[in-house]
Amino acid sequence: AIGKPAAGGGAAPAKGGLAEMEKAKEREKMLEDMTKLRDAIQTLCQSTNPLARSMDYIQEDLDSMGKELAFWLKDKEMQTQLLEEEERRTEVDMERLVAQLQAVEEEMKEEEMRIKDLKGQVLRNDVTIKTMLASVVRPGNR
């Protein structure tokens, strides 16, 4: 039986050849898949590299923005205090000016009353003078 092909012996080497061809195709397919995977990983790394650099700067930007926010919040608080102080001073000044205005208006009323009293006195004096003149000038009194 050595050296003689067995019945269907022609099929056995063909089967072995087919199996090797399938293995070679699988290896080729696996190499192709690995190449695709390697290319995909390289593309991914190339894409994430700028992102990684940007991520390095994010913390610096956040720190900078935090400091700026703190600065503006402090400035807002200071400006709010200045505004409140100015409003208080304005209120005090307004109260003083309103009191002065009321005093001046009261003086004006008093002056108007004094002027009216004087006008009344002048009118009464005119009547008295006319009466005296009329009694002096009457021809029947002599």
Side-chain angles (χ1 to χ4, degrees):
I2 298 178
K4 286 188 180 177
K15 259 189 181 182
L18 276 177
E20 282 184 33
M21 281 176 64
E22 285 180 18
K23 282 183 183 180
K25 281 186 180 179
E26 283 182 29
R27 265 189 241 126
E28 193 176 307
K29 174 91 166 121
M30 189 170 37
L31 286 173
E32 206 175 287
D33 287 347
M34 286 179 65
T35 302
K36 286 181 183 177
L37 181 60
R38 183 174 41 243
D39 290 344
I41 290 173
Q42 284 179 345
T43 303
L44 179 64
C45 288
Q46 289 172 352
S47 299
T48 57
N49 195 17
L51 178 63
R53 275 187 261 134
S54 296
M55 294 294 284
D56 291 340
Y57 296 117
I58 285 178
Q59 189 60 42
E60 291 176 22
D61 289 347
L62 286 174
D63 291 343
S64 175
M65 287 188 283
K67 289 176 184 176
E68 187 172 353
L69 175 64
F71 169 80
W72 288 115
L73 289 174
K74 185 178 176 182
D75 186 59
K76 176 191 170 252
E77 183 65 31
M78 185 179 70
Q79 295 299 328
T80 300
Q81 288 175 356
L82 289 173
L83 175 65
E84 289 172 355
E85 185 179 317
E86 189 62 35
E87 285 175 341
R88 282 191 293 273
R89 281 196 302 254
T90 301
E91 187 64 31
V92 167
D93 289 345
M94 286 294 292
E95 288 174 2
R96 183 177 50 82
L97 291 172
V98 166
Q100 285 178 349
L101 177 63
Q102 289 173 343
V104 168
E105 287 176 344
E106 187 63 34
E107 287 177 23
M108 286 175 52
K109 285 180 186 176
E110 290 174 6
E111 283 297 313
E112 287 175 354
M113 289 300 291
R114 192 173 69 77
I115 289 169
K116 285 180 184 177
D117 287 344
L118 288 174
K119 282 183 180 179
Q121 184 64 39
V122 167
L123 288 175
R124 283 189 296 278
N125 287 345
D126 280 348
V127 169
T128 304
I129 290 172
K130 284 182 184 178
T131 306
M132 292 172 125
L133 281 176
S135 65
V136 171
V137 174
R138 270 192 208 159
N141 282 347
R142 283 190 184 183

PDB file of all heavy atoms in Angstrom, residues 18-34:
ATOM      1  N   LEU A  18      -6.554  22.169  -0.828  1.00  0.00           N
ATOM      2  CA  LEU A  18      -7.656  23.116  -0.588  1.00  0.00           C
ATOM      3  C   LEU A  18      -7.555  23.717   0.810  1.00  0.00           C
ATOM      4  O   LEU A  18      -7.774  24.908   1.017  1.00  0.00           O
ATOM      5  CB  LEU A  18      -9.013  22.428  -0.742  1.00  0.00           C
ATOM      6  CG  LEU A  18      -9.544  22.323  -2.143  1.00  0.00           C
ATOM      7  CD1 LEU A  18     -10.870  21.538  -2.139  1.00  0.00           C
ATOM      8  CD2 LEU A  18      -9.774  23.652  -2.760  1.00  0.00           C
ATOM      9  N   ALA A  19      -7.231  22.899   1.753  1.00  0.00           N
ATOM     10  CA  ALA A  19      -7.130  23.376   3.134  1.00  0.00           C
ATOM     11  C   ALA A  19      -6.012  24.404   3.237  1.00  0.00           C
ATOM     12  O   ALA A  19      -6.138  25.425   3.916  1.00  0.00           O
ATOM     13  CB  ALA A  19      -6.884  22.203   4.070  1.00  0.00           C
ATOM     14  N   GLU A  20      -4.886  24.105   2.542  1.00  0.00           N
ATOM     15  CA  GLU A  20      -3.787  25.059   2.580  1.00  0.00           C
ATOM     16  C   GLU A  20      -4.170  26.349   1.873  1.00  0.00           C
ATOM     17  O   GLU A  20      -3.795  27.447   2.300  1.00  0.00           O
ATOM     18  CB  GLU A  20      -2.539  24.433   1.936  1.00  0.00           C
ATOM     19  CG  GLU A  20      -1.858  23.466   2.869  1.00  0.00           C
ATOM     20  CD  GLU A  20      -0.576  22.932   2.271  1.00  0.00           C
ATOM     21  OE1 GLU A  20       0.087  23.690   1.516  1.00  0.00           O
ATOM     22  OE2 GLU A  20      -0.248  21.799   2.578  1.00  0.00           O
ATOM     23  N   MET A  21      -4.908  26.241   0.784  1.00  0.00           N
ATOM     24  CA  MET A  21      -5.355  27.431   0.068  1.00  0.00           C
ATOM     25  C   MET A  21      -6.302  28.257   0.939  1.00  0.00           C
ATOM     26  O   MET A  21      -6.216  29.475   0.975  1.00  0.00           O
ATOM     27  CB  MET A  21      -6.044  27.049  -1.247  1.00  0.00           C
ATOM     28  CG  MET A  21      -5.055  26.703  -2.326  1.00  0.00           C
ATOM     29  SD  MET A  21      -5.822  26.157  -3.840  1.00  0.00           S
ATOM     30  CE  MET A  21      -6.707  27.549  -4.396  1.00  0.00           C
ATOM     31  N   GLU A  22      -7.182  27.546   1.663  1.00  0.00           N
ATOM     32  CA  GLU A  22      -8.109  28.248   2.554  1.00  0.00           C
ATOM     33  C   GLU A  22      -7.340  28.937   3.678  1.00  0.00           C
ATOM     34  O   GLU A  22      -7.629  30.072   4.052  1.00  0.00           O
ATOM     35  CB  GLU A  22      -9.144  27.283   3.127  1.00  0.00           C
ATOM     36  CG  GLU A  22     -10.211  26.895   2.119  1.00  0.00           C
ATOM     37  CD  GLU A  22     -11.235  25.942   2.708  1.00  0.00           C
ATOM     38  OE1 GLU A  22     -11.330  25.847   3.954  1.00  0.00           O
ATOM     39  OE2 GLU A  22     -11.932  25.316   1.930  1.00  0.00           O
ATOM     40  N   LYS A  23      -6.325  28.238   4.206  1.00  0.00           N
ATOM     41  CA  LYS A  23      -5.503  28.814   5.266  1.00  0.00           C
ATOM     42  C   LYS A  23      -4.755  30.038   4.728  1.00  0.00           C
ATOM     43  O   LYS A  23      -4.639  31.058   5.401  1.00  0.00           O
ATOM     44  CB  LYS A  23      -4.518  27.786   5.806  1.00  0.00           C
ATOM     45  CG  LYS A  23      -5.134  26.791   6.738  1.00  0.00           C
ATOM     46  CD  LYS A  23      -4.070  25.854   7.289  1.00  0.00           C
ATOM     47  CE  LYS A  23      -4.677  24.803   8.180  1.00  0.00           C
ATOM     48  NZ  LYS A  23      -3.663  23.890   8.732  1.00  0.00           N
ATOM     49  N   ALA A  24      -4.242  29.924   3.497  1.00  0.00           N
ATOM     50  CA  ALA A  24      -3.522  31.035   2.901  1.00  0.00           C
ATOM     51  C   ALA A  24      -4.460  32.216   2.697  1.00  0.00           C
ATOM     52  O   ALA A  24      -4.094  33.379   2.941  1.00  0.00           O
ATOM     53  CB  ALA A  24      -2.887  30.600   1.568  1.00  0.00           C
ATOM     54  N   LYS A  25      -5.704  31.924   2.257  1.00  0.00           N
ATOM     55  CA  LYS A  25      -6.698  33.001   2.068  1.00  0.00           C
ATOM     56  C   LYS A  25      -7.046  33.635   3.414  1.00  0.00           C
ATOM     57  O   LYS A  25      -7.187  34.854   3.516  1.00  0.00           O
ATOM     58  CB  LYS A  25      -7.960  32.457   1.396  1.00  0.00           C
ATOM     59  CG  LYS A  25      -7.826  32.274  -0.078  1.00  0.00           C
ATOM     60  CD  LYS A  25      -9.167  31.870  -0.670  1.00  0.00           C
ATOM     61  CE  LYS A  25      -9.048  31.684  -2.167  1.00  0.00           C
ATOM     62  NZ  LYS A  25     -10.320  31.277  -2.770  1.00  0.00           N
ATOM     63  N   GLU A  26      -7.183  32.786   4.445  1.00  0.00           N
ATOM     64  CA  GLU A  26      -7.492  33.297   5.777  1.00  0.00           C
ATOM     65  C   GLU A  26      -6.342  34.187   6.281  1.00  0.00           C
ATOM     66  O   GLU A  26      -6.575  35.242   6.866  1.00  0.00           O
ATOM     67  CB  GLU A  26      -7.740  32.149   6.758  1.00  0.00           C
ATOM     68  CG  GLU A  26      -9.095  31.508   6.601  1.00  0.00           C
ATOM     69  CD  GLU A  26      -9.314  30.395   7.623  1.00  0.00           C
ATOM     70  OE1 GLU A  26      -8.743  30.456   8.733  1.00  0.00           O
ATOM     71  OE2 GLU A  26     -10.062  29.480   7.283  1.00  0.00           O
ATOM     72  N   ARG A  27      -5.082  33.718   6.045  1.00  0.00           N
ATOM     73  CA  ARG A  27      -3.927  34.502   6.449  1.00  0.00           C
ATOM     74  C   ARG A  27      -3.904  35.830   5.697  1.00  0.00           C
ATOM     75  O   ARG A  27      -3.651  36.886   6.262  1.00  0.00           O
ATOM     76  CB  ARG A  27      -2.643  33.724   6.164  1.00  0.00           C
ATOM     77  CG  ARG A  27      -2.172  32.974   7.379  1.00  0.00           C
ATOM     78  CD  ARG A  27      -0.780  32.400   7.144  1.00  0.00           C
ATOM     79  NE  ARG A  27      -0.893  30.962   7.254  1.00  0.00           N
ATOM     80  CZ  ARG A  27      -0.507  30.064   6.358  1.00  0.00           C
ATOM     81  NH1 ARG A  27       0.095  30.455   5.270  1.00  0.00           N
ATOM     82  NH2 ARG A  27      -0.675  28.796   6.548  1.00  0.00           N
ATOM     83  N   GLU A  28      -4.175  35.749   4.395  1.00  0.00           N
ATOM     84  CA  GLU A  28      -4.194  36.958   3.579  1.00  0.00           C
ATOM     85  C   GLU A  28      -5.294  37.907   4.062  1.00  0.00           C
ATOM     86  O   GLU A  28      -5.077  39.116   4.198  1.00  0.00           O
ATOM     87  CB  GLU A  28      -4.427  36.566   2.109  1.00  0.00           C
ATOM     88  CG  GLU A  28      -4.145  37.692   1.147  1.00  0.00           C
ATOM     89  CD  GLU A  28      -4.292  37.218  -0.290  1.00  0.00           C
ATOM     90  OE1 GLU A  28      -3.660  36.216  -0.667  1.00  0.00           O
ATOM     91  OE2 GLU A  28      -5.072  37.886  -1.012  1.00  0.00           O
ATOM     92  N   LYS A  29      -6.456  37.328   4.343  1.00  0.00           N
ATOM     93  CA  LYS A  29      -7.588  38.138   4.849  1.00  0.00           C
ATOM     94  C   LYS A  29      -7.211  38.738   6.202  1.00  0.00           C
ATOM     95  O   LYS A  29      -7.497  39.907   6.481  1.00  0.00           O
ATOM     96  CB  LYS A  29      -8.830  37.256   4.955  1.00  0.00           C
ATOM     97  CG  LYS A  29     -10.004  37.918   5.588  1.00  0.00           C
ATOM     98  CD  LYS A  29     -10.844  38.582   4.550  1.00  0.00           C
ATOM     99  CE  LYS A  29     -12.172  38.944   5.142  1.00  0.00           C
ATOM    100  NZ  LYS A  29     -12.440  40.352   5.061  1.00  0.00           N
ATOM    101  N   MET A  30      -6.563  37.938   7.064  1.00  0.00           N
ATOM    102  CA  MET A  30      -6.177  38.421   8.383  1.00  0.00           C
ATOM    103  C   MET A  30      -5.129  39.534   8.236  1.00  0.00           C
ATOM    104  O   MET A  30      -5.205  40.552   8.928  1.00  0.00           O
ATOM    105  CB  MET A  30      -5.608  37.257   9.215  1.00  0.00           C
ATOM    106  CG  MET A  30      -5.394  37.633  10.653  1.00  0.00           C
ATOM    107  SD  MET A  30      -5.009  36.267  11.794  1.00  0.00           S
ATOM    108  CE  MET A  30      -3.998  35.168  10.862  1.00  0.00           C
ATOM    109  N   LEU A  31      -4.165  39.367   7.336  1.00  0.00           N
ATOM    110  CA  LEU A  31      -3.171  40.410   7.108  1.00  0.00           C
ATOM    111  C   LEU A  31      -3.831  41.679   6.582  1.00  0.00           C
ATOM    112  O   LEU A  31      -3.480  42.805   6.977  1.00  0.00           O
ATOM    113  CB  LEU A  31      -2.096  39.929   6.123  1.00  0.00           C
ATOM    114  CG  LEU A  31      -1.085  38.917   6.669  1.00  0.00           C
ATOM    115  CD1 LEU A  31      -0.171  38.400   5.541  1.00  0.00           C
ATOM    116  CD2 LEU A  31      -0.249  39.537   7.772  1.00  0.00           C
ATOM    117  N   GLU A  32      -4.797  41.505   5.696  1.00  0.00           N
ATOM    118  CA  GLU A  32      -5.543  42.649   5.149  1.00  0.00           C
ATOM    119  C   GLU A  32      -6.304  43.357   6.273  1.00  0.00           C
ATOM    120  O   GLU A  32      -6.278  44.594   6.384  1.00  0.00           O
ATOM    121  CB  GLU A  32      -6.509  42.136   4.089  1.00  0.00           C
ATOM    122  CG  GLU A  32      -6.897  43.145   3.035  1.00  0.00           C
ATOM    123  CD  GLU A  32      -7.765  42.484   1.969  1.00  0.00           C
ATOM    124  OE1 GLU A  32      -7.226  41.703   1.169  1.00  0.00           O
ATOM    125  OE2 GLU A  32      -8.989  42.776   1.981  1.00  0.00           O
ATOM    126  N   ASP A  33      -6.968  42.565   7.124  1.00  0.00           N
ATOM    127  CA  ASP A  33      -7.713  43.137   8.256  1.00  0.00           C
ATOM    128  C   ASP A  33      -6.764  43.842   9.222  1.00  0.00           C
ATOM    129  O   ASP A  33      -7.074  44.923   9.741  1.00  0.00           O
ATOM    130  CB  ASP A  33      -8.504  42.053   8.990  1.00  0.00           C
ATOM    131  CG  ASP A  33      -9.716  41.573   8.215  1.00  0.00           C
ATOM    132  OD1 ASP A  33     -10.085  42.253   7.229  1.00  0.00           O
ATOM    133  OD2 ASP A  33     -10.281  40.523   8.579  1.00  0.00           O
ATOM    134  N   MET A  34      -5.591  43.256   9.448  1.00  0.00           N
ATOM    135  CA  MET A  34      -4.618  43.875  10.355  1.00  0.00           C
ATOM    136  C   MET A  34      -4.108  45.179   9.759  1.00  0.00           C
ATOM    137  O   MET A  34      -3.922  46.172  10.480  1.00  0.00           O
ATOM    138  CB  MET A  34      -3.466  42.908  10.638  1.00  0.00           C
ATOM    139  CG  MET A  34      -3.873  41.784  11.585  1.00  0.00           C
ATOM    140  SD  MET A  34      -2.545  40.618  11.907  1.00  0.00           S
ATOM    141  CE  MET A  34      -1.376  41.627  12.755  1.00  0.00           C
TER     142      MET A  34
END
